[in-house]
Amino acid sequence: MNEVLKNMMTRRSIRSYTDRQISEEDLNTILSAAINAPSGMNLQTWHFTAITNAEILNRTNKSIKAAFTRSTDSRLQERGHNENYCCYYHAPTLIIVSNDPTQWWAPMDCACALENIFLAATSLGIGSCWINQLGQTCDDPEVRSLLTELGIPSSHKVYGCAALGYASPESCIKEKKLQEHTISIIR
């Protein structure tokens, strides 16, 4: 199996990280992989915001948790009131991927970019996990204010985030099992 396929087959979500920050060089490589993902008509309407500042990461988590407490969903309310809940699993880096929602391809472009982020991270020995909470809360006024402060265009919706860091030794990595009836081949 070639290295690209091996990378794809071995990548798993990591939900427990060490405090060790990824290098600036590795972060730039990962961001370069993101911007080289397919983009509808090559318009590249996306935006990538990388956060490595622990204080800003904590503020982001607090904003999301506050939005959750205002939700009508009891599961989100529970997370919002949980002192230990951290939507990005305490990863030292978070990349926010946003796009202009008026572009019909915005979600697909962001999904392709996130996959490139995950595969690039894996190839560098860096763990990753797709984070959805900012996408769920980006229209909350408190969260939107923070996103604007971070330089995310006010016209953008967050379609996903990537938590990045080095897997902690006690990280539980699940074995991937193919679900039945997932693939159909028509000849």
Side-chain angles (χ1 to χ4, degrees):
M1 185 179 304
N2 71 44
E3 288 303 309
V4 173
L5 290 173
K6 183 178 175 185
N7 190 42
M8 288 178 191
M9 304 299 184
T10 58
R11 189 241 161 235
R12 298 291 180 267
S13 292
I14 301 298
R15 292 180 176 86
S16 179
Y17 298 90
T18 68
D19 292 336
R20 181 178 160 209
Q21 184 57 268
I22 66 175
S23 73
E24 191 169 329
E25 179 183 0
D26 286 346
L27 178 58
N28 288 331
T29 298
I30 292 167
L31 289 168
S32 180
I35 63 172
N36 279 286
S39 162
M41 299 175 64
N42 198 30
L43 292 178
Q44 302 177 36
T45 55
W46 50 35
H47 185 86
F48 302 92
T49 306
I51 305 170
T52 60
N53 180 299
E55 181 183 323
I56 294 172
L57 287 170
N58 285 331
R59 282 182 57 211
T60 302
N61 192 56
K62 285 179 184 175
S63 277
I64 290 167
K65 286 174 63 172
F68 281 175
T69 65
R70 295 185 286 275
S71 172
T72 57
D73 183 317
S74 61
R75 192 177 56 115
L76 295 180
Q77 286 178 3
E78 183 180 321
R79 287 179 179 178
H81 292 292
N82 181 341
E83 271 185 40
N84 298 318
Y85 178 74
C86 180
C87 68
Y88 59 92
Y89 302 105
H90 301 287
T93 298
L94 184 70
I95 299 175
I96 301 169
V97 183
S98 65
N99 208 330
D100 178 353
T102 65
Q103 306 300 322
W104 67 266
W105 54 80
M108 289 78 83
D109 286 1
C110 290
C112 287
L114 280 158
E115 183 65 6
N116 274 18
I117 288 169
F118 301 139
L119 293 175
T122 299
S123 75
L124 297 169
I126 296 168
S128 63
C129 188
W130 185 307
I131 305 297
N132 286 312
Q133 290 81 344
L134 267 175
Q136 295 172 303
T137 60
C138 68
D139 292 327
D140 176 87
E142 181 182 330
V143 174
R144 176 52 62 187
S145 177
L146 176 62
L147 294 175
T148 301
E149 182 184 325
L150 296 175
I152 296 169
S154 61
S155 62
H156 275 208
K157 174 180 174 27
V158 174
Y159 286 97
C161 302
L164 300 172
Y166 295 95
S168 94
E170 57 272 351
S171 195
C172 176
I173 300 173
K174 295 178 183 175
E175 190 64 35
K176 192 77 142 187
K177 294 180 185 172
L178 179 65
Q179 300 294 319
E180 286 188 51
H181 311 293
T182 306
I183 297 173
S184 296
I185 299 175
I186 300 166
R187 296 191 168 112

